[in-house]
Each structure stands twice: as structure tokens, then as C-alpha cells.
Amino acid sequence: MLTTPTPDAEETQANAAFDAALWACSRPGLPRQLPVPGETALIAALLDRECAAYAGDPLLIPVLAQTGARLVDLCQADHAFLGRLQDLDLLRQCRTGSDLYPDQGATLLIRARFGQGPSVRLTGPGVDGAVLIQLDGLPAGFWQERARLIRYPMGFDIFFLDGEHLIGLPRSTKAEVV
């Protein structure tokens, strides 16, 4: 007789976080709710023993270690949990892939406040016309530096996190401060 294992609470939470992350990337700029606030559920959903991760917030290191992911310098990370980004130099260190392997660009997770700060117009795949977002807590020049670093298909994907809400910004999305 074939039995199907029942997921425990942690697996259910990680699955819900993964679903939220996929949805957020497929609909850039539209917030999606996570099962719990903070990075923990996303870390469980995105990382495993084959991943290399960077923690900008030292409090995340034990959570990252539980996944079996290798803790590495930012320039080697597949996934970078940057916390509150205050220095654009960190953005410049993130992997963007290469002409042959653009998929080797990093996935970044940055804390920001939604509904505050400058207005940014998003356009591109997954966006119905244009979407306006407001994100506060990013360093001056963030959007210009992102545009300079991304040469699609090379670049990095970003998740912005505000408590239990997530906004995805794939490298294919154009962002213009208005």
C-alpha cells in the first residue's frame, strides 16, 4: 500500500513561502503575503545543501546554517540576504552571471518599507502595463545602480521584504523613478 507523507508545520510554511516567492516574481511590484514575517520561511524555501548564501545580518547566520547551505562571501553567493541595504557597494559585489551562464546571477533579499519613499514605475514581463511602487529604506542611487548593473539576461533578481509582505523584482523588470 502506497502512503503519502504528511508535511509537518515547517514544511507547510516553507511551501507557502516558496509559493509566495514564485507569485511575487511572476507579478513584479504586487505584494504577496508570507506565512510568517521575516526571512526565516524564505530561507527554508529557497536554500539547501547545494546553495551558497551570504548573510548581511549576523542574526540570520544560524538560520542559514540549518539549511546546510555554504556561507560564503557576497561575491560568491547564490542567495544574498542583505538585510537593510545601506551601502551600494554591496549591490556591486553581487553575482550577475555571464553571457554563457546568466542563470548564475544571484537572488537578493532586501528589507524595505512598502508604501513610503520615492515612486518607482515598473514595466516588463508579468506587469500589466505599468505598476507604481514605493519602497523606502534603500540607499540613494539604488535604482540607477541596479539599472547600470543589469544587462538582461545577466543580472540579479530581488525580493523586497517588509514584515510578512514580499515584492519580487526579476532582472527582466525595468524600474524608473518618477
Side-chain angles (χ1 to χ4, degrees):
M1 177 176 196
L2 183 64
T3 60
T4 304
T6 304
D8 62 20
E10 188 176 318
E11 288 174 305
T12 301
Q13 192 176 76
N15 288 340
F18 188 78
D19 182 58
L22 287 178
W23 192 95
C25 265
S26 65
R27 299 289 180 260
L30 300 181
R32 187 69 173 178
Q33 188 164 350
L34 291 168
V36 293
E39 293 94 342
T40 305
L42 282 168
I43 289 171
L46 298 175
L47 300 183
D48 61 22
R49 288 178 174 84
E50 294 182 17
C51 297
Y54 170 84
D57 179 348
L59 295 176
L60 293 177
I61 292 173
V63 181
L64 292 171
Q66 288 178 352
T67 68
R70 294 180 323 280
L71 296 175
V72 296
D73 291 333
L74 181 55
C75 62
Q76 300 170 319
D78 302 319
H79 297 84
F81 297 84
L82 298 175
R84 283 245 183 251
L85 182 65
Q86 296 181 9
D87 184 358
L88 283 180
D89 189 48
L90 293 178
L91 204 59
R92 295 178 192 112
Q93 294 177 48
C94 295
R95 292 174 38 182
T96 58
S98 67
D99 289 329
L100 288 177
Y101 300 102
D103 59 316
Q104 291 181 355
T107 299
L108 315 181
L109 197 126
I110 300 171
R111 294 180 197 145
R113 287 181 299 281
F114 299 173
Q116 302 174 35
S119 292
V120 178
R121 178 183 298 122
L122 304 179
T123 57
V127 179
D128 186 12
V131 171
L132 282 179
I133 62 170
Q134 288 181 287
L135 297 175
D136 195 23
L138 300 173
F142 173 85
W143 297 105
Q144 294 80 2
E145 190 63 15
R146 176 189 176 269
R148 189 184 74 73
L149 292 170
I150 292 178
R151 295 186 336 235
Y152 186 79
M154 294 185 305
F156 41 74
D157 304 311
I158 303 174
F159 289 109
F160 294 104
L161 180 66
D162 184 1
E164 62 186 16
H165 293 95
L166 185 70
I167 290 178
L169 192 65
R171 66 191 78 184
S172 60
T173 304
K174 301 255 188 256
E176 174 190 6
V177 178
V178 291

